[in-house]
Amino acid sequence: MKVPFLDLKAQNLPLLGELNEAIRQVIETSAFAGGPFVTSFEDDFAAYCHADFAIGVGSGTEALWLSLLALGIGPGDEVITVPNTFIATAEAITYCGARPVFVDVDERTYTMDPARLENAVTSRTKALIPVHLFGQPADMDPILEFARDRGLFVIEDACQAHGATYKGKSVGTLGDAGCFSFYPGKNLGAFGEAGAVITNHAALDQKLRVLRDHGQIQKYHHTMVGWNGRMDGIQAAILRIKLRHLDKGNALRRARALFYQQAFAGVPELITPFQADYARHVHHLYAVRVKNREEVIRRLNEREIGCGIHYPIPLHLQEAYKSLNYKRGDFPVAERTSAEFVSLPMFPELTTGQMEVVIQAVKEIVTGLPGHEPFDSGLWQKNRQIVPAL
Ligand SMILES: *Cc1c(COP(=O)(O)O)cnc(C)c1O
């Protein structure tokens, strides 16, 4: 049986009636760029995240970029983030004129290691961008404490973590701003490109609203140089409906992660995702670690089982960031894990039958590889923790 990596049709078709009606309303009122549908979604999303404000923008990349701009980050500044993320996190820093500075990640959660911040901070550091990778929140308390002590801003890259919580609080509300992507494959996905920033700071909210609308406070009255960063009305109307199904989708993802976890519990050739005590992980991606990754992927492809790599090359080794002068060996955890990660099918509509096919195939492949080797038992044992109660 063929198993897709992601099945958006299975998610969207059951909602077709509601979605069609929402799109019809947008057409009826011609509120296509910004406007009332965007405002309604912003209200709903802010309430969902327990944030004071939400600002709809064109993408997650734009949410990150505009947040940095709104906080006044620019040429000569440095912003610390992690190398094992989608390139958008670093691009946003670069496009403000600032310099991305990387710190390595924690080997269990794959998120920013607060203990390494001290070595990366300089007098030019202005902000930190922890990434809640794969749906797991970064360890925010020590990161926030580090930032507070030094007067740095914290922007959370929550593009993979809609609905995740850190010690019971929604991600995106812990730092100064939280950035979300509604790219179609994300836990909350639009029918095209969209994103949002959430914040509890009224002044930041105001500045972001002006920035995303060409710097105007009133039509053709521009108080600053801004950008066209508005969310589409159709995306907002669709997102408003899909937001109502987000918690159910996340609960289904967690149930599927638990199912995988239990099935892989006795397989030391595989490291499964870990959920930190402080976290409600929402499993945007289900990335396991294997030795001999390319061969594992080749064999999964042969059996028509969808999989992905998030991400094969850490940012400090990307050609685009050659000028930052990093080298192999600078971030050992990010480098090692980027060579071992394989993301398995993970989406709310994934069936038990599909998961059984994936589990059977993965077990056969990783234990049947020539010269296959289990992971060092210390690391493997530590990561075997079963996802707690759903
Ligand atoms: C998807 C993603 C982004 C960018 O979001 P877009 O909406 O695609 O621009 C940024 N950071 C991370 C970690 C992401 O996964």
Side-chain angles (χ1 to χ4, degrees):
M1 179 170 73
K2 197 168 163 164
V3 183
F5 179 63
L6 176 64
D7 187 353
L8 289 179
K9 217 156 112 179
Q11 184 181 109
N12 292 322
L13 282 182
L15 307 178
L16 198 59
E18 279 180 278
L19 292 166
N20 275 336
E21 174 52 24
I23 293 169
R24 196 194 59 75
Q25 286 178 20
V26 179
I27 295 171
E28 196 115 293
T29 49
S30 298
F32 295 117
F37 295 97
V38 174
T39 307
S40 299
F41 171 69
E42 288 172 341
D43 292 346
D44 289 1
F45 192 62
Y48 175 82
C49 299
H50 307 286
D52 289 347
F53 309 101
I55 304 97
V57 295
S59 67
T61 309
E62 206 161 55
L64 288 159
W65 178 55
L66 293 178
S67 297
L68 288 162
L69 280 181
L71 291 169
I73 294 175
D77 296 338
E78 292 177 357
V79 178
I80 301 176
T81 190
V82 292
N84 64 332
T85 176
F86 182 55
I87 195 165
T89 321
E91 281 174 325
I93 299 167
T94 305
Y95 260 65
C96 293
R99 177 188 171 89
V101 173
F102 299 118
V103 290
D104 211 348
V105 292
D106 175 79
E107 176 119 32
R108 295 178 80 188
T109 63
Y110 313 132
T111 61
M112 180 178 273
D113 184 349
R116 302 189 203 246
L117 289 169
E118 193 63 63
N119 283 334
V121 76
T122 73
S123 57
R124 293 176 297 279
T125 309
K126 288 282 155 45
L128 311 177
I129 311 185
V131 179
H132 305 312
L133 195 75
F134 304 153
Q136 165 118 278
D139 190 4
M140 292 302 291
D141 277 349
I143 294 171
L144 291 167
E145 190 188 319
F146 184 91
R148 215 170 15 243
D149 289 349
R150 289 160 185 83
L152 309 175
F153 295 117
V154 176
I155 298 171
E156 300 173 64
D157 183 337
C159 288
Q160 300 189 358
H162 319 67
T165 59
Y166 176 81
K167 299 185 180 173
K169 291 188 204 146
S170 301
V171 298
T173 60
L174 302 148
D176 297 287
C179 299
F180 291 85
S181 163
F182 307 120
Y183 182 76
K186 300 289 165 94
N187 289 30
L188 177 57
F191 283 3
E193 306 282 351
V197 183
I198 62 173
T199 182
N200 290 331
H201 302 297
L204 187 58
D205 168 66
Q206 280 309 311
K207 188 150 185 205
L208 281 163
R209 286 179 193 286
V210 175
L211 267 178
R212 70 149 179 206
D213 193 22
H214 296 291
Q216 60 192 358
I217 39 158
Q218 182 191 331
K219 206 166 172 74
Y220 305 130
H221 289 69
H222 308 272
T223 54
M224 61 179 98
V225 178
W227 192 253
N228 178 357
R230 294 179 301 251
M231 180 184 271
D232 290 349
I234 283 186
Q235 303 307 344
I238 287 163
L239 286 166
R240 219 174 150 215
I241 287 163
K242 294 187 76 176
L243 179 60
R244 296 182 203 135
H245 302 271
L246 177 59
D247 280 340
K248 190 178 62 205
N250 281 343
L252 290 169
R253 286 174 186 271
R254 287 168 58 78
R256 276 139 193 75
L258 181 60
F259 192 89
Y260 273 144
Q261 196 88 352
Q262 285 167 337
F264 292 137
V267 188
E269 287 86 356
L270 200 75
I271 293 180
T272 48
F274 166 78
Q275 174 175 268
D277 294 342
Y278 58 65
R280 180 180 193 270
H281 194 320
V282 293
H283 297 284
H284 169 56
L285 292 165
Y286 191 83
V288 299
R289 287 164 62 186
V290 297
K291 303 272 177 83
N292 206 346
R293 192 250 318 270
E294 306 320 317
E295 183 60 19
V296 170
I297 289 185
R298 203 184 60 73
R299 295 186 186 198
L300 285 170
N301 287 340
E302 230 167 55
R303 298 182 188 218
E304 300 190 293
I305 292 172
C307 58
I309 306 177
H310 302 89
Y311 297 90
I313 306 172
L315 298 185
H316 68 289
L317 301 178
Q318 292 282 357
E319 192 180 339
Y321 278 125
K322 241 183 357 212
S323 64
L324 296 177
N325 287 319
Y326 286 108
K327 58 183 189 314
R328 192 168 291 280
D330 283 344
F331 306 109
V333 180
E335 290 170 27
R336 184 161 59 244
T337 55
S338 71
E340 294 173 344
F341 276 141
V342 184
S343 303
L344 301 179
M346 168 54 74
F347 49 93
E349 300 75 20
L350 189 65
T351 65
T352 306
Q354 288 174 319
M355 275 191 290
E356 278 164 353
V357 171
V358 175
I359 290 161
Q360 178 74 18
V362 169
K363 279 188 180 171
E364 281 175 21
I365 292 169
V366 298
T367 57
L369 285 176
H372 77 89
E373 248 186 283
F375 277 94
D376 156 18
S377 67
L379 183 63
W380 179 71
Q381 291 288 352
K382 273 205 274 177
N383 278 269
R384 277 183 62 220
Q385 179 205 321
I386 298 295
V387 180
L390 303 172

